Structures are given as C-alpha cells and as structure tokens.
Amino acid sequence: MASSVESAPQHGRWIDEWEPEDPRFWETRGRRVATRNLIFSIFTEHLGFSVWILMSVVVVSLPQAGITLSVSQTFWLLIVPNLVGAALRIPYTFAIPRFGGRGFTTFSALILLVPTGMLAVAVTIPDPPYWFFLATAAAMGLGGGNFSSSMANISFFFPTSKKGFALGLNAAGGNLGVAVTQFAVPLAISAGTGINLVNAALMWMPVIILAAACAWWFMDSLTSAKSDGESYAEAMREGQTWIMSVLYIGTFGSFIGFSFAFPTLLKALSDGRSSWVGAAFTGALIGSVSRPLGGWLADRMGGAKVTITVFGCMAACTYTTITGLAAKSVPVFFASSVALFILAGIGNGSTYRMIPLIFSAAVGTGSEPGRLDEAMKAARRKAAAAVGIAGSVGAFGGVAVNLVFKSSLESGSLQPALWSFLGFYIVCCALTWWCYLRKTVAIEWSPSLAYANV
C-alpha cells in the first residue's frame, strides 16, 4: 500500500504533505517534483538577474542616443538598482511561506514588466528627465530580490543531503543572467540602423510573460514551508553571521558591484571602443560558472582555506589591475579584472559553504550527546537564516563598490578605488585567518557530526 506521503494531497498546486527526508517518498515522487520546481525557479531567477543588471548596459549607449550624463549621474543609475535589490532580499525570503512558491514566483516574474516597460518609455520619449531614469533603475532592483525568494523556495523542496547541489545550481543559473544581459543586449540595440535602445526593454517582455506562465502552470507551493523569524533573530545576534557577511561583501559584493560597473569602466578606459565594451559579459559569465567550483573546493579542502586563498589572489589581481591602469594597458586591465570575477565566483561558493559548517561545528563543541540531533536541527535553521542575512549584506557590498568607483572617478582617477579594494581584500584575509584558521580557533573534524573543517 502506498504511504501517505507517497500520495501527498495537493489542492490548487499546494502540496499538503512533503517529506523529502523519507527515501521512499523522495525516489517515488519527491525528486521529480523538486526537479521540476528547480528548473523553473532557475528560469525566473535568471531573468531577475538579467533585468537587475540591465541598466549597466543601457548607460553605456545613452550618449549615442543623445542622452549625456555626468559620471555622478551614470553611477547613480548603477547604484540605485543594486541598492533596491539588496534591500528586497530579506522581505522576498519571507514572502515564500506567506504566498507560496508558485504564486510568488509568478508574481516576481510578472512584476519585471514594470522596469522593462518604464525603460521602453524612458528611451523613446523626447528629452526624458533624469528622475525618470532613476525611477526606472530603482524598478530594476525588483529583479535583485528574486535571488532570495528563489533560494528560499527551493531549499524547502530538497533533502539536506541534496540541498547544497540544488541551491548551487539555482544560484549559478541566476548569476548567469548578468552575463546573458551584457552579451545579448548590445547585440539587440545595435540591430538595424543606429542605436535602438528600446530593444533593450522589448526583448525581455515575451520572456517575462513566458517565465510567469511556466511558474504558474508547472511550479508548486508547499504548506510545510514556514517562515522562521525566530531563527533570523537568533542569527542576527550571532557574531559569526556578521563575520561571514563581511567576507561575503568581499566575494559577492565584488562580483555584483564589478558586474554593474565593468561596461562603464571599459568604455572609459578604452575611449569607447566597442570591442572591449562588447566583451564585458566575459567577466560575469566566468564568475558565475566558477561559483559551483568554490563549493566543490570547499568540500575537499575546507571552506576557510579556499576563502583565504581567494582573498589573497584577489589582492594580487587588484594590484595587477592597478599596474595595467598605470601603463594604460586595456588588455592587462581587462585580463586582471576577469581574473577578479573568477576569484569572486569561487569565493561566493566557498563562503556560502562555510556558514552551515561553522554553526554545526559550534554545536559539536557545546551540546550534550543526547540532545545532539535537536541541536543540529536548530543549527541548520540558524545557518539558513545566516545565509539569507549574508546574502543581503553582500548585495549591499555591491552598492559600496560602485560608490567607491563613483568617488574615485570624480576625483579624476580609478586608482584610489582599486587601492581601497586591495586593502579590503587583505583585511578579509586577516579576518578569515583570525576567526577560522588559527590553531586556537580551528574547528576539527568530528565523525559524530559528519562535518569537515570549515
């Protein structure tokens, strides 16, 4: 006779019983349903990133369309979507238990018609006011929140043993949206005669409608998906949460901040040569693909060891970027910047992998054997909350990156910004060593926990 979880009741695509930790349920039904939801979650999250980063490509072509902006105005158009996207990450996480994965994913896709519609208006009306461009950039930030809702939703579908791989695929698929936009939009706006900026908006609208339709018809909501405000409150009181948030600023903050700025920087340094600007997508592409590599390396070498190595290499690459800038060598600047994207992607994976291990190892050093299972479950909930907090703080790091670029370029040189980044990466190296690799604080592997060193 089929178990109750095998025939989990479903109403209006709400699933009432979901037991992914039950091997029989997972093999007979759970894997198929979870995989289907993961596929369409990646689609929608990917689209969210694509719209989130869209202004980074549009601003490069505004002068050719007769719209001239100052350095300050240009960078505010890059900063505002980053700021809004970062601010939305935590509320988007709590939306999944409230509205269901299917319903909220459909909504988060459809609402992307707002920024794309506003962009279509902004680039077609005569003498568009700057405030309307700012409002459009702010609306694009809606795409940045999709990461958190998508990650939260998928985390409920998979068993603990498979959650890391599923979330890694989900994150990497979303991050690839940056590269797709920076590759495809320049081709779209140059199609035909002259610069057709409206294509940068219109090309996404059918895809947005398709993503929303797929989410509505093929995704599910789980009644067992519950908000966990208590775990968030506990995670916010943990010093480890904020240490890891600082490290995530160095990895994801660098990735998303550089992604927003890279086309503009290449245009400025290459005197607008389209060959270099057109290659800007390379950094985000390789950085996105390298993210799962960071998690894989962390599983085998230890997350803290991978992370400290990443920050050391990022400091070295930043110095190379500075030398390329001093020599006025665009190829050196480009190559070292792409290396920074790769390292930031690896660091994204390794820092995310550290968080659950840190909280679990802390349980192993302070819990009574009889209460270990209960304590481990609480640690996993707290770690999941810490991941959400770090993700939001890391996105704010992208805002800081562009504020530093803006201030530096207004002073007449990019070098002060790069020196400040180099110093921050050295600080991250020291913080990683002090908190996780010193002999007096290093967390040893424990067979009873089945967790390796961080």
Side-chain angles (χ1 to χ4, degrees), residues 86 89-90 93 147-148 151 232 235 241 245 248 352 355 382-395:
R89 285 196 161 198
I90 288 182
T93 299
F147 175 83
S148 290
M151 294 288 276
Y232 267 85
T241 300
S245 294
Y248 203 58
Y352 250 42
I355 294 174
K382 193 188 298 185
V387 165
I389 294 167
S392 180
V393 174

Side-chain angles (χ1 to χ4, degrees), residues 139 141 144 176 200 258 329 433:
L176 278 170
F258 292 165
S329 173
W433 175 79

Side-chain angles (χ1 to χ4, degrees), residues 208-284:
I208 290 169
I209 294 170
L210 176 62
C214 287
W216 184 253
W217 289 108
F218 300 117
M219 292 187 71
D220 305 283
S221 299
L222 302 178
T223 56
S224 58
K226 304 295 183 184
S227 60
D228 194 2
E230 183 179 346
S231 293
Y232 267 85
E234 291 177 3
M236 293 185 76
R237 291 191 292 267
E238 285 280 354
Q240 297 292 344
T241 300
W242 301 109
I243 293 168
M244 291 306 304
S245 294
V246 171
L247 299 183
Y248 203 58
I249 288 173
T251 57
F252 182 74
S254 295
F255 172 81
I256 197 65
F258 292 165
S259 294
F260 271 98
F262 201 36
T264 297
L265 295 178
L266 283 174
K267 181 180 180 181
L269 295 173
S270 65
D271 296 324
R273 278 176 282 175
S274 59
S275 57
W276 287 112
V277 177
F281 76 94
T282 308

